[in-house]
Amino acid sequence: MLVVMQEGAEESQIQRVIDRLVSMGFIVHRSSGIMHTVLGGVGPVGDVDPIEFEVMEGVKECHRIVSPYKLASRHFRPGGTIVRIRDVEIGGNQVVVMAGPCSVETRDQIEEIAGVVARGGAKVIRGGAFKPRSSPYSFQGLGEEGLKMMREAADRNNLLVVSEVMDQTQIPVLSAYSDILQVGARNMQNFNLLRELGQIRKPILLKRGISATIEELLLSAEYIMSGGNYEVILCERGIRTFENATRNTMDISAIPVVKSLSHLPILADPSHGTGRRDKVLPMARAAVAAGADGLLVEVHHDPDHALSDGAQSLRPQQFTELMDQLRLIARAVERSV
Ligand code: PEP
Ligand code: MN
């Protein structure tokens, strides 16, 4: 159930609607926009007639939401969500670039790459400390030690940090060092993890699963939001198809589709999306042209010796080139980088 209050509705009127929804068995989520307050009632819609709410004072309109996700739906926040972390706004006019190595490897490595991405204009450094590797014999990440190194490198370069959380037990350590917690493709439907992330108050970067539909992606966002954490950033990172010329098939069309179905910001990851550094620039350009709110890009100062995903990691000079190109594309779609 979605109740849109009139512009300037009084707090007492809003409260009466909340009380009514609660008495009918709904859990109420409130979104206070610039113009309107929207109340999302999650619960037994059954045979509730929207008119019951529309006749209440201060109510503009009421709808029964038929989509399986409610809080992630565009109706809940028609104006879109902006996730603000310090002076960075994700989902606003600026296209936010998050860049860095696949994995944090050594102190020197992360220091050097932090300098490269900061000089290029990235706002956030990425890097895995807990790595979901397809093989148990591959490098698994440096854990807390890696997070500490990345935090220090980020602070020296005025960058925010995003890093992956693989299970519930890692939430405290990730929260201590990272500004954004990433849920990887393999964990998009780890519902216990998603529920726990709904209980914290840190932004979550939720990547699309390798064979997940857009609806499943939005339902996973709903798991986090239904716990009260509304700061979810989505990420298209390529899906598995019959095509094997690239590591995954980058679903650029997911960007405008998500934009119309949901108010949540969406990023694109052309590195995992293609698996090849020579294809990262064109797909990055396409993603920004299609309306992505930002990019997640792998960059390494020495990709030939990277411990993971070297083939898809940009060299420093390619990253600079990418940022120069994005500035042109962003201008064409009335945004900035
Ligand atoms: C990553 O971004 O480091 C990563 C492992 O990506 P994905 O979960 O999309 O495979
Ligand atoms: Mn990677």
Side-chain angles (χ1 to χ4, degrees), residues 234-252:
L234 305 171
C235 182
E236 162 60 38
R237 48 78 73 204
I239 48 177
R240 191 167 280 182
T241 69
F242 51 81
E243 181 53 70
N244 57 16
T246 48
R247 178 178 177 184
N248 290 295
T249 297
M250 183 89 189
D251 183 7
I252 296 284

Side-chain angles (χ1 to χ4, degrees), residues 60-79:
K60 179 167 178 270
E61 57 201 26
C62 176
H63 307 279
R64 290 162 75 141
I65 302 288
V66 286
S67 72
Y69 44 86
K70 322 279 178 202
L71 305 174
S73 157
R74 169 67 67 178
H75 297 289
F76 186 56
R77 279 190 186 155

Side-chain angles (χ1 to χ4, degrees), residues 102 126 131 272 298 309 312:
C102 180
R126 62 144 292 143
K131 293 302 302 177
H272 293 88
E298 288 185 341
D309 285 350
Q312 66 191 34

Side-chain angles (χ1 to χ4, degrees), residues 101-156:
C102 180
S103 309
V104 182
E105 299 168 0
T106 64
R107 187 174 294 281
D108 288 350
Q109 174 240 24
I110 199 70
E111 283 290 343
E112 177 149 358
I113 298 172
V116 167
V117 302
R119 282 193 295 278
K123 300 286 181 209
V124 184
I125 186 166
R126 62 144 292 143
F130 298 99
K131 293 302 302 177
R133 304 304 302 280
S134 299
S135 162
Y137 307 117
S138 302
F139 175 60
Q140 306 285 308
L142 296 182
E144 181 169 2
E145 207 45 46
L147 286 173
K148 208 179 282 182
M149 290 174 189
M150 184 160 56
R151 180 78 257 173
E152 287 169 12
D155 289 344
R156 262 192 278 281

Side-chain angles (χ1 to χ4, degrees), residues 7-8 31-37 84:
E7 216 177 316
S31 160
S32 304
I34 304 168
M35 308 266 267
H36 301 281
T37 290
R84 292 188 177 82

